[in-house]
Coordinates of all heavy atoms in Angstrom, one line a residue:
M1 N 80.2 105.1 124.7 CA 80.0 106.5 125.2 C 79.5 107.3 124.1 O 79.9 107.2 122.9 CB 81.3 107.0 125.7 CG 81.5 106.8 127.2 SD 82.4 108.0 128.0 CE 84.0 107.5 128.0
S2 N 78.6 108.2 124.4 CA 78.1 109.1 123.4 C 79.0 110.2 123.1 O 79.9 110.5 123.9 CB 76.7 109.6 123.9 OG 76.9 110.5 124.9
G3 N 78.8 110.9 122.0 CA 79.6 112.0 121.6 C 79.6 113.1 122.6 O 80.7 113.8 122.9
K4 N 78.5 113.4 123.2 CA 78.4 114.5 124.2 C 79.2 114.1 125.5 O 79.9 115.0 126.0 CB 76.9 114.7 124.7 CG 76.2 115.8 124.0 CD 74.9 115.9 124.7 CE 74.2 117.2 124.2 NZ 72.9 117.4 124.8
R5 N 79.1 112.9 125.9 CA 79.9 112.5 127.0 C 81.4 112.5 126.8 O 82.1 112.9 127.7 CB 79.5 111.0 127.3 CG 79.6 110.7 128.8 CD 79.0 109.4 129.1 NE 78.8 109.5 130.5 CZ 78.2 108.7 131.3 NH1 77.5 107.8 130.7 NH2 78.1 108.9 132.5
I6 N 81.8 112.2 125.6 CA 83.3 112.2 125.3 C 83.7 113.7 125.3 O 84.8 114.0 125.8 CB 83.5 111.6 124.0 CG1 83.3 110.1 124.1 CG2 84.9 111.9 123.5 CD1 83.5 109.3 122.8
L7 N 82.9 114.6 124.8 CA 83.2 116.0 124.8 C 83.3 116.5 126.2 O 84.2 117.3 126.5 CB 82.2 116.7 124.0 CG 82.4 118.2 123.7 CD1 83.7 118.4 123.0 CD2 81.3 118.8 123.0
V8 N 82.4 116.2 127.1 CA 82.4 116.6 128.5 C 83.7 116.1 129.2 O 84.3 116.8 129.9 CB 81.1 116.2 129.2 CG1 81.2 116.5 130.7 CG2 79.9 116.9 128.6
V9 N 83.9 114.8 129.0 CA 85.1 114.2 129.7 C 86.4 114.9 129.2 O 87.3 115.2 129.9 CB 85.2 112.7 129.4 CG1 86.5 112.1 129.9 CG2 84.0 112.0 130.2
T10 N 86.5 115.1 127.9 CA 87.6 115.8 127.3 C 87.8 117.2 127.9 O 88.9 117.6 128.2 CB 87.5 115.8 125.8 OG1 87.4 114.5 125.3 CG2 88.8 116.4 125.2
A11 N 86.7 117.9 127.9 CA 86.7 119.3 128.5 C 87.1 119.3 129.9 O 88.0 120.1 130.4 CB 85.3 119.9 128.3
L12 N 86.6 118.3 130.7 CA 87.0 118.3 132.1 C 88.5 117.9 132.3 O 89.2 118.4 133.1 CB 86.1 117.2 132.9 CG 84.7 117.7 133.1 CD1 83.9 116.5 133.7 CD2 84.6 118.9 134.0
W13 N 88.9 117.0 131.4 CA 90.3 116.6 131.4 C 91.2 117.7 131.1 O 92.2 118.0 131.8 CB 90.5 115.4 130.4 CG 91.9 114.9 130.4 CD1 92.5 114.0 131.3 CD2 92.9 115.2 129.5 NE1 93.8 113.8 131.0 CE2 94.1 114.5 129.8 CE3 93.0 116.0 128.3 CZ2 95.3 114.5 129.1 CZ3 94.2 116.0 127.6 CH2 95.3 115.3 128.0
L14 N 90.9 118.5 130.1 CA 91.7 119.7 129.7 C 91.6 120.8 130.8 O 92.6 121.4 131.1 CB 91.1 120.3 128.4 CG 91.5 119.5 127.1 CD1 90.8 120.2 125.9 CD2 93.0 119.5 126.9
A15 N 90.5 120.9 131.5 CA 90.4 121.9 132.6 C 91.3 121.4 133.7 O 92.0 122.3 134.4 CB 88.9 122.0 133.0
A16 N 91.3 120.1 134.0 CA 92.2 119.6 135.1 C 93.6 119.8 134.8 O 94.4 120.2 135.6 CB 91.9 118.1 135.4
I17 N 94.0 119.6 133.5 CA 95.4 119.8 133.1 C 95.8 121.2 133.2 O 96.8 121.6 133.7 CB 95.6 119.2 131.7 CG1 95.5 117.7 131.6 CG2 97.0 119.6 131.1 CD1 96.5 116.9 132.5
T18 N 94.9 122.1 132.7 CA 95.1 123.5 132.7 C 95.3 124.0 134.1 O 96.1 124.8 134.5 CB 94.0 124.3 132.0 OG1 93.9 123.8 130.6 CG2 94.3 125.8 132.0
S19 N 94.4 123.5 135.0 CA 94.4 123.9 136.4 C 95.7 123.5 137.1 O 96.4 124.2 137.8 CB 93.2 123.3 137.1 OG 93.3 123.6 138.5
S20 N 96.1 122.3 136.7 CA 97.4 121.7 137.3 C 98.6 122.6 136.8 O 99.5 122.9 137.6 CB 97.6 120.3 136.9 OG 96.6 119.5 137.3
L21 N 98.6 122.9 135.6 CA 99.7 123.8 135.1 C 99.7 125.2 135.7 O 100.7 125.7 136.0 CB 99.6 123.9 133.5 CG 99.9 122.6 132.8 CD1 99.7 122.8 131.3 CD2 101.4 122.2 133.0
A22 N 98.5 125.7 136.0 CA 98.4 127.0 136.6 C 98.9 126.9 138.0 O 99.6 127.8 138.5 CB 96.9 127.4 136.6
V23 N 98.6 125.8 138.7 CA 99.1 125.6 140.1 C 100.7 125.6 140.1 O 101.4 126.2 140.9 CB 98.5 124.4 140.8 CG1 99.3 124.0 142.0 CG2 97.1 124.6 141.0
V24 N 101.2 124.8 139.1 CA 102.7 124.7 139.0 C 103.3 126.0 138.7 O 104.3 126.4 139.4 CB 103.1 123.6 137.9 CG1 104.5 123.7 137.6 CG2 102.6 122.2 138.4
Y25 N 102.7 126.8 137.8 CA 103.3 128.1 137.4 C 103.2 129.0 138.6 O 104.1 129.8 138.9 CB 102.5 128.7 136.2 CG 102.9 130.1 136.0 CD1 104.2 130.4 135.3 CD2 102.1 131.2 136.4 CE1 104.6 131.7 135.1 CE2 102.5 132.5 136.1 CZ 103.7 132.7 135.5 OH 104.1 134.0 135.3
S26 N 102.0 129.0 139.3 CA 101.8 129.9 140.4 C 102.8 129.6 141.6 O 103.4 130.5 142.2 CB 100.4 129.7 141.0 OG 100.2 130.4 142.1
T27 N 103.0 128.3 141.8 CA 104.0 127.9 142.9 C 105.4 128.4 142.5 O 106.1 128.9 143.3 CB 103.9 126.4 143.1 OG1 102.6 126.0 143.4 CG2 104.9 126.0 144.2
H28 N 105.8 128.1 141.2 CA 107.1 128.5 140.8 C 107.3 130.0 140.9 O 108.3 130.5 141.4 CB 107.3 128.1 139.3 CG 108.5 128.6 138.7 ND1 109.8 128.2 139.1 CD2 108.7 129.6 137.8 CE1 110.7 128.8 138.4 NE2 110.1 129.7 137.6
R29 N 106.3 130.8 140.4 CA 106.4 132.3 140.5 C 106.4 132.8 141.9 O 107.2 133.7 142.2 CB 105.1 132.9 139.8 CG 105.1 134.3 139.6 CD 106.1 134.8 138.6 NE 106.1 136.2 138.4 CZ 107.1 137.0 138.4 NH1 108.3 136.5 138.4 NH2 106.9 138.3 138.3
S30 N 105.7 132.1 142.8 CA 105.7 132.5 144.2 C 107.1 132.3 144.8 O 107.6 133.1 145.6 CB 104.6 131.7 145.0 OG 104.7 131.9 146.4
R31 N 107.7 131.1 144.5 CA 109.0 130.9 145.0 C 110.0 131.8 144.5 O 110.9 132.3 145.2 CB 109.4 129.4 144.7 CG 108.7 128.4 145.5 CD 109.1 127.0 145.2 NE 108.3 126.1 146.1 CZ 108.2 124.8 145.8 NH1 108.9 124.3 144.8 NH2 107.6 124.0 146.7
A32 N 109.9 132.2 143.2 CA 110.9 133.1 142.6 C 110.7 134.5 143.2 O 111.7 135.2 143.5 CB 110.6 133.2 141.1
L33 N 109.5 134.9 143.4 CA 109.3 136.2 144.1 C 109.7 136.3 145.5 O 110.3 137.3 146.0 CB 107.8 136.6 144.0 CG 107.3 137.0 142.6 CD1 105.8 137.2 142.6 CD2 108.0 138.2 142.0
T34 N 109.6 135.1 146.2 CA 110.0 135.1 147.6 C 111.6 135.2 147.6 O 112.1 135.9 148.5 CB 109.6 133.7 148.3 OG1 108.1 133.7 148.2 CG2 110.0 133.6 149.7
A35 N 112.2 134.5 146.7 CA 113.7 134.6 146.7 C 114.1 136.0 146.3 O 115.1 136.5 146.9 CB 114.2 133.6 145.6
E36 N 113.4 136.6 145.4 CA 113.7 138.0 145.1 C 113.5 139.0 146.3 O 114.3 139.9 146.5 CB 112.8 138.5 143.9 CG 113.2 139.8 143.3 CD 112.3 140.1 142.1 OE1 112.0 139.1 141.3 OE2 112.0 141.3 141.9
L37 N 112.5 138.7 147.1 CA 112.2 139.5 148.3 C 113.3 139.3 149.3 O 113.8 140.3 149.9 CB 110.8 139.1 148.9 CG 110.5 139.8 150.2 CD1 110.3 141.3 150.0 CD2 109.2 139.1 150.8
V38 N 113.7 138.1 149.5 CA 114.8 137.8 150.5 C 116.1 138.6 150.0 O 116.8 139.2 150.9 CB 115.0 136.3 150.6 CG1 116.3 136.0 151.4 CG2 113.9 135.7 151.3
E39 N 116.4 138.5 148.7 CA 117.6 139.2 148.2 C 117.4 140.7 148.4 O 118.4 141.4 148.8 CB 117.7 138.9 146.7 CG 118.9 139.5 146.1 CD 120.2 139.0 146.6 OE1 120.3 137.8 147.0 OE2 121.2 139.7 146.6
A40 N 116.3 141.3 148.2 CA 116.0 142.7 148.4 C 116.2 143.1 149.8 O 116.7 144.1 150.2 CB 114.7 143.1 147.8
Q41 N 115.7 142.3 150.7 CA 115.8 142.6 152.2 C 117.3 142.5 152.6 O 117.7 143.3 153.4 CB 114.9 141.6 153.0 CG 113.5 141.8 152.8 CD 112.6 140.7 153.5 OE1 113.1 139.6 153.7 NE2 111.4 141.0 153.8
H42 N 118.0 141.5 152.1 CA 119.4 141.4 152.4 C 120.2 142.7 151.9 O 121.0 143.2 152.6 CB 120.0 140.2 151.7 CG 121.4 140.0 152.0 ND1 121.9 139.6 153.2 CD2 122.5 140.0 151.2 CE1 123.2 139.5 153.1 NE2 123.6 139.8 151.9
T43 N 119.9 143.1 150.7 CA 120.5 144.4 150.2 C 120.1 145.6 151.0 O 121.0 146.4 151.3 CB 120.0 144.6 148.7 OG1 120.4 143.4 147.9 CG2 120.7 145.8 148.1
R44 N 118.8 145.6 151.4 CA 118.4 146.7 152.3 C 119.2 146.7 153.6 O 119.6 147.8 154.1 CB 116.9 146.6 152.6 CG 116.4 147.7 153.5 CD 115.1 147.3 154.3 NE 115.4 146.1 155.1 CZ 114.4 145.2 155.5 NH1 113.2 145.4 155.2 NH2 114.7 144.2 156.2
D45 N 119.4 145.6 154.2 CA 120.1 145.5 155.5 C 121.6 145.9 155.3 O 122.1 146.6 156.1 CB 120.0 144.0 156.0 CG 118.6 143.7 156.5 OD1 117.8 144.6 156.7 OD2 118.4 142.4 156.6
E46 N 122.2 145.5 154.2 CA 123.5 145.9 153.9 C 123.6 147.4 153.7 O 124.6 148.0 154.2 CB 124.1 145.2 152.7 CG 124.4 143.7 152.9 CD 124.9 143.1 151.6 OE1 124.8 143.7 150.5 OE2 125.3 141.9 151.7
L47 N 122.7 148.0 153.0 CA 122.7 149.4 152.8 C 122.5 150.2 154.1 O 123.1 151.2 154.4 CB 121.6 149.8 151.8 CG 122.0 149.4 150.4 CD1 120.8 149.7 149.4 CD2 123.2 150.1 149.9
R48 N 121.6 149.7 155.0 CA 121.4 150.3 156.3 C 122.7 150.3 157.1 O 123.0 151.3 157.8 CB 120.3 149.6 157.1 CG 118.9 150.0 156.7 CD 117.9 149.4 157.7 NE 116.6 149.8 157.3 CZ 115.5 149.2 157.7 NH1 115.6 148.2 158.5 NH2 114.3 149.5 157.3
Y49 N 123.4 149.1 157.1 CA 124.6 149.0 157.9 C 125.6 150.0 157.3 O 126.3 150.7 158.0 CB 125.1 147.6 157.7 CG 126.5 147.4 158.3 CD1 126.8 147.4 159.7 CD2 127.6 147.3 157.4 CE1 128.0 147.3 160.2 CE2 128.9 147.2 157.9 CZ 129.1 147.1 159.3 OH 130.4 147.0 159.8
E50 N 125.7 150.1 156.0 CA 126.7 151.0 155.3 C 126.3 152.5 155.7 O 127.2 153.3 156.0 CB 126.6 150.8 153.8 CG 127.6 151.7 153.0 CD 129.0 151.3 153.2 OE1 129.3 150.3 153.7 OE2 129.9 152.1 152.7
Q51 N 125.0 152.8 155.7 CA 124.6 154.2 156.0 C 125.0 154.5 157.5 O 125.6 155.6 157.7 CB 123.1 154.3 155.9 CG 122.6 155.7 156.2 CD 121.1 155.8 156.3 OE1 120.4 154.8 156.4 NE2 120.6 157.0 156.1
E52 N 124.8 153.6 158.4 CA 125.2 153.8 159.8 C 126.7 154.0 159.9 O 127.1 154.8 160.7 CB 124.6 152.7 160.7 CG 123.1 152.8 160.8 CD 122.6 151.7 161.7 OE1 123.4 151.0 162.4 OE2 121.4 151.4 161.6
R53 N 127.4 153.1 159.2 CA 128.9 153.2 159.3 C 129.4 154.6 158.7 O 130.2 155.2 159.3 CB 129.5 152.1 158.5 CG 131.0 152.0 158.7 CD 131.6 151.0 157.7 NE 131.5 151.3 156.3 CZ 132.2 152.3 155.7 NH1 133.1 152.9 156.4 NH2 132.1 152.5 154.4
L54 N 128.8 155.0 157.6 CA 129.1 156.3 157.1 C 128.8 157.5 158.0 O 129.5 158.5 158.1 CB 128.5 156.5 155.7 CG 129.1 155.6 154.6 CD1 128.3 155.7 153.3 CD2 130.6 155.9 154.3
L55 N 127.6 157.4 158.6 CA 127.2 158.4 159.6 C 128.2 158.5 160.7 O 128.6 159.6 161.2 CB 125.8 158.2 160.1 CG 124.7 158.5 159.1 CD1 123.4 158.0 159.7 CD2 124.7 160.0 158.7
L56 N 128.6 157.4 161.2 CA 129.6 157.4 162.3 C 131.0 157.9 161.8 O 131.6 158.7 162.5 CB 129.8 156.0 162.8 CG 128.7 155.4 163.7 CD1 129.0 153.9 164.0 CD2 128.6 156.2 165.0
E57 N 131.3 157.6 160.6 CA 132.6 158.0 160.1 C 132.5 159.6 159.8 O 133.5 160.3 160.1 CB 132.9 157.3 158.7 CG 134.2 157.6 158.2 CD 134.6 156.8 156.9 OE1 134.0 155.7 156.8 OE2 135.4 157.3 156.1
R58 N 131.4 160.0 159.3 CA 131.3 161.5 159.1 C 131.4 162.2 160.5 O 132.0 163.3 160.6 CB 129.9 161.8 158.5 CG 129.8 163.3 158.2 CD 128.4 163.6 157.6 NE 127.4 163.4 158.5 CZ 126.1 163.7 158.3 NH1 125.7 164.0 157.1 NH2 125.2 163.5 159.2
G59 N 130.8 161.6 161.5 CA 130.9 162.2 162.8 C 132.3 162.3 163.3 O 132.8 163.3 163.9
A60 N 133.1 161.2 163.1 CA 134.4 161.2 163.5 C 135.3 162.2 162.7 O 136.2 162.8 163.3 CB 135.0 159.8 163.3
W61 N 135.0 162.3 161.4 CA 135.8 163.3 160.6 C 135.5 164.7 161.0 O 136.4 165.6 160.8 CB 135.6 163.0 159.1 CG 136.4 161.8 158.6 CD1 135.9 160.6 158.4 CD2 137.7 161.8 158.3 NE1 136.8 159.8 157.9 CE2 138.0 160.5 157.9 CE3 138.8 162.7 158.4 CZ2 139.3 160.1 157.5 CZ3 140.1 162.3 158.0 CH2 140.3 161.0 157.6
S62 N 134.3 165.0 161.4 CA 134.0 166.4 161.7 C 134.1 166.7 163.2 O 133.8 167.8 163.6 CB 132.5 166.6 161.3 OG 131.6 165.8 162.1
A63 N 134.6 165.8 164.0 CA 134.8 166.1 165.4 C 135.9 167.1 165.6 O 136.9 167.2 164.8 CB 135.2 164.8 166.2
Y64 N 135.7 167.9 166.6 CA 136.6 169.1 166.9 C 138.1 168.6 167.0 O 139.0 169.2 166.5 CB 136.2 169.8 168.1 CG 137.1 171.0 168.4 CD1 137.1 172.1 167.7 CD2 138.1 170.9 169.5 CE1 137.9 173.2 168.0 CE2 138.9 171.9 169.7 CZ 138.9 173.1 169.0 OH 139.7 174.1 169.3
N65 N 138.3 167.5 167.7 CA 139.6 166.9 167.9 C 140.3 166.6 166.6 O 141.5 166.8 166.4 CB 139.6 165.8 168.9 CG 139.3 166.1 170.3 OD1 139.4 167.3 170.7 ND2 138.8 165.2 171.1
R66 N 139.5 166.0 165.7 CA 140.0 165.6 164.4 C 140.4 166.8 163.6 O 141.5 166.8 163.0 CB 139.0 164.7 163.7 CG 139.3 164.4 162.3 CD 140.4 163.3 162.2 NE 140.7 163.1 160.8 CZ 141.9 162.8 160.3 NH1 142.9 162.6 161.2 NH2 142.0 162.6 159.1
I67 N 139.6 167.8 163.6 CA 139.9 169.1 162.9 C 141.2 169.7 163.4 O 142.0 170.1 162.7 CB 138.7 170.0 163.0 CG1 137.5 169.4 162.2 CG2 139.1 171.4 162.4 CD1 136.2 170.1 162.4
E68 N 141.3 169.7 164.8 CA 142.5 170.3 165.4 C 143.7 169.5 165.0 O 144.8 170.1 164.7 CB 142.3 170.3 166.9 CG 143.5 171.1 167.6 CD 143.3 171.2 169.1 OE1 142.2 170.7 169.6 OE2 144.2 171.7 169.7
Q69 N 143.6 168.2 165.0 CA 144.7 167.3 164.7 C 145.2 167.6 163.2 O 146.4 167.7 163.0 CB 144.4 165.9 164.8 CG 145.4 164.9 164.4 CD 145.0 163.4 164.5 OE1 143.8 163.2 164.7 NE2 145.9 162.5 164.3
V70 N 144.3 167.7 162.3 CA 144.6 167.9 160.9 C 145.2 169.3 160.8 O 146.2 169.5 160.1 CB 143.4 167.8 160.0 CG1 143.6 168.3 158.6 CG2 142.9 166.4 159.9
A71 N 144.7 170.3 161.5 CA 145.3 171.7 161.4 C 146.7 171.7 161.9 O 147.6 172.3 161.3 CB 144.4 172.6 162.3
R72 N 147.0 170.9 163.0 CA 148.4 170.9 163.5 C 149.3 170.1 162.6 O 150.4 170.6 162.3 CB 148.4 170.2 164.9 CG 147.8 171.1 166.0 CD 147.9 170.4 167.3 NE 147.1 171.0 168.3 CZ 147.5 172.0 169.1 NH1 148.7 172.5 168.9 NH2 146.7 172.6 170.0
E73 N 148.9 168.9 162.2 CA 149.8 168.0 161.4 C 150.0 168.4 160.0 O 151.1 168.4 159.5 CB 149.3 166.6 161.6 CG 149.4 166.0 163.0 CD 148.8 164.7 163.1 OE1 148.3 164.1 162.1 OE2 148.8 164.2 164.2
K74 N 148.9 168.7 159.3 CA 149.0 168.9 157.9 C 149.1 170.4 157.5 O 149.8 170.7 156.5 CB 147.7 168.4 157.2 CG 147.6 166.9 157.3 CD 146.7 166.2 156.3 CE 146.7 164.8 156.6 NZ 146.5 163.9 155.5
L75 N 148.5 171.3 158.3 CA 148.6 172.7 158.0 C 149.6 173.5 158.8 O 149.8 174.6 158.7 CB 147.2 173.3 158.1 CG 146.1 172.7 157.2 CD1 144.8 173.3 157.6 CD2 146.4 172.9 155.8
D76 N 150.3 172.7 159.7 CA 151.3 173.3 160.6 C 150.7 174.5 161.4 O 151.4 175.5 161.5 CB 152.5 173.6 159.9 CG 153.7 173.8 160.8 OD1 153.8 173.1 161.8 OD2 154.6 174.6 160.4
M77 N 149.5 174.4 161.8 CA 148.9 175.5 162.6 C 149.0 175.3 164.1 O 149.2 174.2 164.5 CB 147.4 175.6 162.2 CG 147.1 176.0 160.8 SD 145.3 175.9 160.4 CE 144.9 177.5 161.0
H78 N 149.0 176.3 164.8 CA 149.1 176.2 166.3 C 148.3 177.4 166.9 O 148.0 178.4 166.3 CB 150.5 176.3 166.7 CG 151.2 177.6 166.5 ND1 151.7 177.9 165.2 CD2 151.4 178.7 167.2 CE1 152.2 179.1 165.3 NE2 152.1 179.6 166.5
V79 N 148.0 177.2 168.2 CA 147.3 178.3 168.9 C 148.3 179.4 169.2 O 149.4 179.1 169.6 CB 146.7 177.7 170.3 CG1 146.1 178.8 171.1 CG2 145.7 176.6 170.0
P80 N 148.0 180.6 168.8 CA 149.0 181.7 169.0 C 149.3 181.9 170.5 O 148.5 181.9 171.3 CB 148.4 182.9 168.4 CG 146.9 182.6 168.2 CD 146.8 181.1 168.2
A81 N 150.6 182.1 170.7 CA 151.1 182.5 172.1 C 150.6 183.9 172.4 O 150.3 184.6 171.5 CB 152.6 182.4 172.1
P82 N 150.6 184.2 173.7 CA 150.1 185.6 174.0 C 150.9 186.7 173.3 O 150.3 187.7 172.9 CB 150.3 185.6 175.5 CG 150.2 184.2 176.0 CD 150.8 183.4 174.9
E83 N 152.1 186.5 173.1 CA 152.9 187.6 172.4 C 152.6 187.7 170.9 O 152.9 188.6 170.3 CB 154.4 187.4 172.7 CG 155.0 186.1 172.2 CD 155.0 185.0 173.2 OE1 154.4 185.1 174.3 OE2 155.5 183.9 172.9
E84 N 152.0 186.6 170.4 CA 151.7 186.6 168.9 C 150.3 187.2 168.7 O 149.9 187.5 167.6 CB 151.7 185.2 168.4 CG 153.0 184.5 168.4 CD 153.0 183.1 167.9 OE1 152.1 182.3 168.4 OE2 153.8 182.7 167.1
R85 N 149.5 187.4 169.7 CA 148.2 187.9 169.6 C 148.2 189.4 169.4 O 148.9 190.1 170.1 CB 147.3 187.5 170.8 CG 147.1 186.1 171.0 CD 146.3 185.7 172.2 NE 146.4 184.3 172.4 CZ 146.1 183.7 173.5 NH1 145.7 184.4 174.6 NH2 146.2 182.4 173.7
V86 N 147.3 189.9 168.5 CA 147.1 191.3 168.3 C 145.7 191.6 168.5 O 144.8 191.0 167.9 CB 147.6 191.7 166.9 CG1 147.3 193.1 166.6 CG2 149.0 191.3 166.6
L87 N 145.4 192.6 169.4 CA 144.1 193.1 169.6 C 143.8 194.3 168.8 O 144.6 195.2 168.8 CB 143.9 193.3 171.1 CG 144.0 192.1 172.0 CD1 143.8 192.6 173.5 CD2 142.9 191.1 171.7
I88 N 142.7 194.3 168.2 CA 142.3 195.5 167.4 C 141.1 196.1 168.0 O 140.1 195.4 168.2 CB 142.1 195.1 165.9 CG1 143.3 194.5 165.3 CG2 141.6 196.3 165.1 CD1 143.1 193.9 163.9
R89 N 141.2 197.3 168.3 CA 140.0 198.0 168.9 C 139.1 198.6 167.9 O 139.6 199.2 166.9 CB 140.5 199.0 169.9 CG 141.2 198.4 171.1 CD 141.5 199.5 172.1 NE 142.4 199.1 173.1 CZ 142.1 198.4 174.2 NH1 140.9 198.0 174.4 NH2 143.1 198.0 175.0
K90 N 137.9 198.5 168.1 CA 136.9 199.1 167.2 C 136.8 200.6 167.5 O 136.6 200.9 168.7 CB 135.5 198.4 167.3 CG 134.5 198.9 166.4 CD 133.2 198.1 166.5 CE 132.2 198.7 165.6 NZ 130.9 198.0 165.7
T91 N 136.9 201.4 166.5 CA 136.7 202.8 166.8 C 135.4 203.2 166.3 O 134.8 202.8 165.3 CB 137.8 203.6 166.0 OG1 137.7 203.3 164.6 CG2 139.2 203.2 166.5
E92 N 134.8 204.2 167.0 CA 133.5 204.7 166.7 C 133.7 205.8 165.7 O 134.5 206.7 165.9 CB 132.8 205.2 168.0 CG 132.5 204.2 169.0 CD 131.4 203.2 168.6 OE1 130.5 203.6 167.9 OE2 131.5 202.0 169.0
D93 N 132.9 205.9 164.7 CA 133.1 207.0 163.7 C 132.3 208.2 164.1 O 131.3 208.3 164.7 CB 132.6 206.5 162.3 CG 133.6 205.5 161.7 OD1 134.8 205.6 162.1 OD2 133.1 204.7 160.9

């Protein structure tokens, strides 16, 4: 074989090896990014579930019945009886 031919074969061989390594790297990177995407989607789903749970909990804590219950039990409040009510009339100046 001539020197030119050996150089061409060597160049083609190096190109094939380089291309093969690029394919291996590309495949590996693609799999790693896919795994990262799946993990991010899983985290997103967990956060959505947590947000919905917190919204429901906030609604329950702010419900009128819950506020009335806390007022009665913890603050010892009650609806005033008619004899406890005082009406104040507005006077015109």
Side-chain angles (χ1 to χ4, degrees):
M1 270 211 265
S2 69
K4 263 187 170 180
R5 206 168 199 171
I6 291 175
L7 187 59
V8 170
V9 170
T10 304
L12 289 174
W13 183 78
L14 286 174
I17 295 296
T18 304
S19 176
S20 299
L21 290 174
V23 168
V24 169
Y25 174 77
S26 174
T27 303
H28 172 72
R29 186 73 178 135
S30 175
R31 288 181 181 164
L33 290 173
T34 301
E36 192 175 322
L37 175 64
V38 169
E39 181 69 28
Q41 289 172 337
H42 180 68
T43 302
R44 179 203 59 202
D45 293 342
E46 286 179 350
L47 290 172
R48 277 188 184 163
Y49 171 76
E50 180 73 10
Q51 179 188 24
E52 290 179 16
R53 189 187 66 76
L54 289 172
L55 287 173
L56 286 173
E57 187 174 334
R58 182 180 71 178
W61 282 101
S62 64
Y64 179 76
N65 293 336
R66 173 73 181 147
I67 293 170
E68 185 177 0
Q69 178 187 7
V70 169
R72 288 181 191 275
E73 294 175 1
K74 297 199 179 211
L75 302 175
D76 199 30
M77 297 175 80
H78 65 278
V79 177
E83 60 271 6
E84 296 175 315
R85 296 179 189 162
V86 176
L87 294 177
I88 300 174
R89 296 189 191 273
K90 181 178 179 183
T91 59
E92 298 289 330
D93 289 336

